[in-house]
Amino acid sequence: MKILIGDDHVLFREGLRRLLEQLRDNATFAEASNFDELLDMAAAKDEAYDLILTDLRMPGWPGFSGIGMLRDRQPNSKVVVVSASEAHSDVREALENGAAGYIPKSSSVKIMLSALDLIFSGGVYVPATVLREGIEPDQRGGSMMPPTDPQLEQLLTQRQREVLDRLREGKSNKQIAHELGLSEGTVKIHMTAIFKSLGVRNRTQAAMAFPQSHSA
């Protein structure tokens, strides 16, 4: 596995590298200290990265379009934001621009490892520290569903399953938010994560992706 880390703090890059070595002992690493360097490394024709970890607002950061720029250059790579920001707006913008997950720098080692494991499995990680309303976190920092469909168990958290079930019932974001005790903004973040995890573009495709889960 080849991993590219972009962050302007050398100590954080070193700590992240050591953390990832626990998850993938055969991994090789490349590092960049600013976005222009990160983009150049991602654009190298002879390099194919499995994972790109990027900070927000590092020197040269062009805004959230930078995530799409990285994905354009490494279409088979998972791009994950690792940031000190825990703002809802930053999480939503990152996911809508194609990030495979958003991990706050304040996360414990255990949560960060679990988040990356979920992403490697094809899921989208959204932190419980950002989605506080109505969430009962487990060891992943989200809340994983009881076993039902094995694929969805890997891809979605319990809260995302609950949102998906109500989507399949034809309920609006406002209705889902009311039933689950969430804000509409939080429901939209969950929707974005669900669409990305299932590889679909809209509510209709998501509703048809798997059988009803009956998790609620």
Side-chain angles (χ1 to χ4, degrees):
M1 173 171 284
K2 300 185 74 171
I3 300 172
L4 178 58
I5 301 172
D7 194 282
D8 55 332
H9 294 96
V10 62
L11 290 178
F12 183 79
R13 294 200 307 270
E14 181 179 341
L16 197 54
R17 188 176 67 247
R18 291 181 177 178
L19 185 69
L20 286 161
E21 286 171 348
Q22 298 180 41
L23 204 60
R24 294 289 189 274
D25 55 11
N26 62 340
T28 59
F29 299 90
E31 299 179 18
S33 60
N34 60 68
F35 185 77
D36 290 336
E37 184 181 0
L38 183 68
L39 199 61
D40 286 345
M41 295 174 78
K45 293 182 179 180
D46 57 342
E47 295 290 351
Y49 295 99
D50 301 288
L51 176 67
I52 299 176
L53 300 170
T54 181
D55 187 20
L56 297 182
R57 303 178 184 91
M58 72 176 87
W61 177 250
F64 288 96
S65 62
I67 296 170
M69 295 164 70
L70 290 169
R71 295 186 71 236
D72 287 343
R73 287 154 179 79
Q74 291 284 328
N76 296 319
S77 176
K78 296 178 183 298
V79 178
V80 177
V81 172
V82 183
S83 175
S85 171
E86 299 184 18
H88 276 64
S89 58
D90 285 343
V91 176
R92 186 176 176 190
E93 286 279 355
L95 295 178
E96 288 182 345
N97 280 276
Y102 191 105
I103 305 175
K105 288 184 176 180
S106 62
S107 301
S108 68
V109 169
K110 187 175 183 179
I111 286 177
M112 194 170 288
L113 286 172
S114 295
L116 289 167
D117 193 45
L118 178 67
I119 291 165
F120 286 141
S121 298
V124 175
Y125 181 78
V126 181
T129 52
V130 175
L131 305 179
R132 294 184 186 279
E133 306 130 322
I135 289 179
E136 298 177 1
D138 73 350
Q139 69 273 15
R140 285 181 184 259
S143 48
M144 295 306 292
M145 62 197 146
T148 49
D149 185 293
Q151 285 182 284
L152 283 187
E153 183 181 357
Q154 288 187 333
L155 295 178
L156 303 181
T157 65
Q158 180 181 340
R159 183 60 77 191
Q160 289 166 2
R161 285 292 299 278
E162 292 169 350
V163 170
L164 179 59
D165 282 347
R166 285 158 178 79
L167 178 156
R168 285 170 169 155
E169 293 169 0
K171 294 178 179 176
S172 67
N173 286 354
K174 185 174 182 179
Q175 290 172 314
I176 294 170
H178 176 73
E179 288 193 13
L180 297 181
L182 306 173
S183 69
E184 284 191 64
T186 296
V187 171
K188 289 178 181 178
I189 291 174
H190 281 309
M191 288 289 187
T192 301
I194 289 166
F195 292 172
K196 187 168 181 60
S197 292
L198 299 184
V200 300
R201 295 184 178 182
N202 55 49
R203 296 169 68 100
T204 301
Q205 291 177 350
M208 297 173 64
F210 285 91
Q212 185 81 9
S213 71
H214 304 294
S215 65

